[in-house]
């Protein structure tokens, strides 16, 4: 009886605790609902829009319903490029916004994304409102954004990185050798270097040649734009980088890269003077997040005509899209919906991807081909639209890219690991098999493939490459030989891509939208933008808010080791024939 009473009491205590936790959850849910439901931002007169760009910048933001609510607020710190540009456009016309306070030390974004934000800031300045930047330290990307500001303040104890761009690749051949894992590589294209980390300890000469080429293209574009903004000479900027001239803030001031060496309070004193307020009065800052609160709708404009902007970002695979991946099922469905919607007069396909599954890329290409028979389809390249990312877009009527977009990489590879020695020598596991036919175990990773099987894999890879180059030639209206001359897996920038025919026009997403409107014979103000896919439903956001995404958890737990773990996790996605550019190449 005593045991029974003990269990009953424990159950009652558990129910009480569960009810209490549930009650707290409901309070949080109600708070999140009330804060996220049609909240209107009350922007007071004489306000300053404060923008902190030292965060990941993605194509679109994911609204966090628990932001600011205690222990369940989640991560959700990424800035959406679409939402940021919309906020800058609104602030340009907002009579209550007097200027922008910009914090940009080391933006976590690709160069094309940085270019879009920078151009949006330049457009904001047409309003004659001020843009002031402050930083304790700045990378080249951070400075590239800050270089458009009227005043650039660098902390007296801070530093400005100005030593040129660097791209460092990791190679795992030594690791694979130690583990007795033998990669079986099948590829087409002298420059198809995505497999090099598994078979080399350094870059091949063709790979080093292409990386040098597109990095110099990106660097030259940056130097020209900085020189224009700061009224400096390009050769001077190159010399400062070569000689490591910028060692301390005073060097940056002397060379006119910045306007002031000073603390944050000194810049705020300048802002108070600009706003004509007392030195003791608090500056009315409006954060970017709060300013975006009123911008809930996935559609912009008031016309019945629509331009569908379909955003696809991440690795390409079959199935449904994830937070940071492109699923062919999701994207084809979105393109199909836009094609069949009579209100949609044109489609913009916005791609930020270094590639992935060849099959999934071809599935989406087919849907683009169907769509452009019904209405104009314009491709817009973000940081990357290479290999499978380029495959998605090559059927579009026109393709728009930023000068520093990474594109091309028209090549194909297949990758298998022979694990026989690893399992036998390291783990003591062996395999045996019975087959009804000679090649019933093809392809396999548990033993060495026969020469015939390897030849078959190579032929399959070459067949997909022929399909890739043939469809690229048809989409770009170029001879196949011309495409193959610039293919071979070689990576190009947007500027280089335009010169060789892979790209039609240089510009950002806004330029692609304008081109789509012109192609559909729509005038300014005569169309509404419809962004697809729509953002996650509220309760799906709720569930994902508790743990954050997997990449964030890996980063938080492993710190500097995180990139290697993420890299190895990608090996699981290398099934089938792949269209990918070199892995994890980050230009800093």
């Amino acid at each position: 009886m005593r045991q029974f009473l003990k269990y009953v009491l424990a159950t009652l205590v558990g129910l009480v605790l569960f009810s209490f936790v549930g009650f707290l959850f409901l309070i949080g849910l109600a708070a999140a609902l009330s804060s996220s439901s049609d909240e209107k931002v009350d922007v007071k007169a004489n306000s300053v829009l404060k923008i902190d760009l030292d965060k990941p910048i993605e194509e679109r933001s994911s609204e966090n319903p628990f932001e600011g609510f205690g222990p369940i607020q989640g991560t959700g710190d990424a800035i959406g490029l679409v939402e940021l540009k919309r906020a800058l456009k609104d602030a340009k016309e907002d009579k209550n916004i007097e200027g922008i306070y910009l914090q940009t030390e080391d933006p976590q974004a690709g160069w094309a994304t940085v270019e879009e934000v920078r151009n949006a800031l330049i457009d904001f300045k047409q309003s004659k409102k001020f843009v002031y930047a402050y930083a304790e330290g700045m990378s080249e990307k951070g400075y590239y954004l800050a270089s458009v500001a009227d005043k650039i303040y660098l902390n007296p104890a801070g530093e400005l990185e100005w030593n040129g761009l660097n791209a460092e690749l990791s190679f795992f051949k030594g690791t694979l050798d130690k583990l007795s894992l033998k990669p079986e590589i099948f590829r087409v294209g002298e420059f198809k270097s995505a497999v090099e980390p598994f078979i080399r300890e350094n870059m091949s000469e063709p790979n080093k040649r292409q990386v040098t080429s597109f990095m110099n293209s990106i660097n030259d574009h940056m130097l020209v734009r900085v020189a224009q903004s700061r009224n400096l000479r390009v050769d001077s900027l190159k010399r400062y980088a070569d000689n490591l001239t910028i060692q301390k803030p005073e060097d940056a001031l002397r060379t006119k890269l910045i306007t002031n060496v000073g603390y944050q309070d000194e810049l705020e004193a300048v802002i108070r003077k600009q706003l004509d307020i007392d030195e003791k009065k608090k500056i009315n800052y409006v954060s970017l997040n709060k300013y975006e609160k009123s911008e809930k709708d996935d559609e912009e404009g008031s016309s019945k005509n629509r331009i569908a902007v379909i955003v696809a970002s991440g690795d390409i695979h079959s199935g449904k899209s994830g937070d940071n991946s492109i699923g062919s099922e999701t994207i084809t469905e979105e393109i199909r919906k836009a094609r069949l919607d009579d209100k949609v007069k044109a489609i913009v396909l916005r791609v930020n991807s270094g590639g992935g599954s060849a099959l999934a890329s071809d599935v989406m290409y087919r849907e683009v081909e169907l769509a452009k028979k019904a209405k104009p389809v314009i491709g817009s390249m973000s940081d990357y639209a290479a290999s499978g990312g380029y495959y998605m877009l090559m059927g579009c009527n026109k393709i728009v890219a930023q000068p520093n977009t990474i594109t091309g990489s028209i090549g194909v590879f297949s990758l298998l690991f022979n694990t026989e020695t690893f399992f036998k020598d390291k783990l003591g596991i062996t395999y045996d098999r019975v087959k009804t036919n000679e090649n019933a175990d093809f392809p396999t990773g548990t033993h060495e493939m026969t020469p015939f099987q390897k030849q078959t894999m190579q032929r399959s890879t070459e067949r997909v490459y022929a399909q890739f180059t043939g469809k690229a030639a048809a989409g770009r209206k170029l001879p196949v030989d011309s495409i193959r001359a610039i293919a071979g897996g070689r990576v190009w920038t947007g500027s280089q891509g335009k010169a060789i025919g892979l790209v039609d026009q240089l510009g950002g997403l806004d330029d692609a939208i304008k081109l789509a409107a012109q192609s559909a014979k729509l005038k300014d103000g005569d169309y509404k933008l419809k962004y697809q896919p729509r953002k996650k439903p509220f309760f799906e956001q709720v569930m994902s808010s508790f743990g954050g995404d997997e990449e964030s958890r890996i980063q938080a737990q492993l710190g500097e080791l995180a990139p290697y773990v993420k890299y190895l996790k990608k090996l699981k996605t290398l099934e089938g024939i792949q269209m990918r550019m070199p892995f994890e190449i980050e230009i800093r």
Side-chain angles (χ1 to χ4, degrees), residues 393-433:
L393 294 176
M394 63 191 185
C396 293
N397 297 102
K398 298 287 183 182
I399 298 175
V400 180
Q402 289 286 11
N404 45 18
T405 292
I406 300 297
T407 187
S409 192
I410 299 174
V412 181
F413 74 91
S414 305
L415 173 65
L416 288 172
F417 286 97
N418 182 352
T419 62
E420 183 177 17
T421 304
F422 167 75
F423 279 114
K424 181 180 178 180
D425 293 352
K426 308 297 182 184
L427 303 178
I429 298 173
T430 57
Y431 296 90
D432 199 359
R433 60 199 58 82

Side-chain angles (χ1 to χ4, degrees), residues 200-251:
R200 295 182 59 91
E201 295 178 345
N202 53 18
M203 286 188 282
S204 65
E205 280 307 311
N207 190 21
K208 188 167 288 188
R209 194 161 70 245
Q210 71 167 342
V211 173
T212 301
S213 175
F214 70 68
M215 281 186 61
N216 280 328
S217 177
I218 292 172
N219 190 52
D220 290 346
H221 175 76
M222 178 190 70
L223 294 177
V224 169
R225 299 298 303 279
V226 168
Q228 291 171 346
S229 295
R230 306 314 310 169
N231 195 25
L232 297 170
R233 292 172 56 92
V234 171
D235 57 353
S236 297
L237 293 172
K238 287 183 177 180
R239 187 172 66 254
Y240 300 156
D242 288 337
N243 298 334
L244 297 179
T245 302
I246 314 302
Q247 292 293 310
K248 53 187 184 295
E250 289 75 16
D251 296 330

Side-chain angles (χ1 to χ4, degrees), residues 13 55 58 77 94 102 109 242 264 277 377 405 456-457 493:
V13 171
K55 298 176 181 179
E58 300 175 352
D77 287 334
D94 192 336
L102 190 63
D242 288 337
Q264 185 175 11
I277 60 176
V377 182
T405 292
T456 301
M457 285 290 294
T493 62

Side-chain angles (χ1 to χ4, degrees), residues 418-421 423-424 429-450 453:
N418 182 352
T419 62
E420 183 177 17
T421 304
F423 279 114
K424 181 180 178 180
I429 298 173
T430 57
Y431 296 90
D432 199 359
R433 60 199 58 82
V434 174
K435 300 182 292 184
T436 61
N437 296 83
E438 183 65 27
N439 295 297
D441 59 343
F442 170 76
T444 180
T446 58
H447 65 87
E448 183 89 9
M449 285 192 290
T450 67
Q453 289 173 338

Side-chain angles (χ1 to χ4, degrees), residues 95 138 212 229 248 252 270 278 498 505 564:
K95 65 180 185 301
M138 278 187 277
T212 301
S229 295
K248 53 187 184 295
V270 174
D278 186 81
K498 184 176 183 301
Q505 179 179 321
Y564 300 101

Side-chain angles (χ1 to χ4, degrees), residues 310 330-342 344 347 367 375 530 532-534:
I310 300 172
T330 299
I331 299 303
T332 53
E333 182 182 352
E334 296 297 336
I335 298 173
R336 191 179 303 119
K337 284 194 298 187
R339 169 168 61 89
L340 298 175
D341 188 342
D342 291 336
V344 173
I347 299 170
E367 203 60 44
K375 55 197 67 175
K530 180 182 181 183
Q532 298 173 221
R534 296 188 71 86

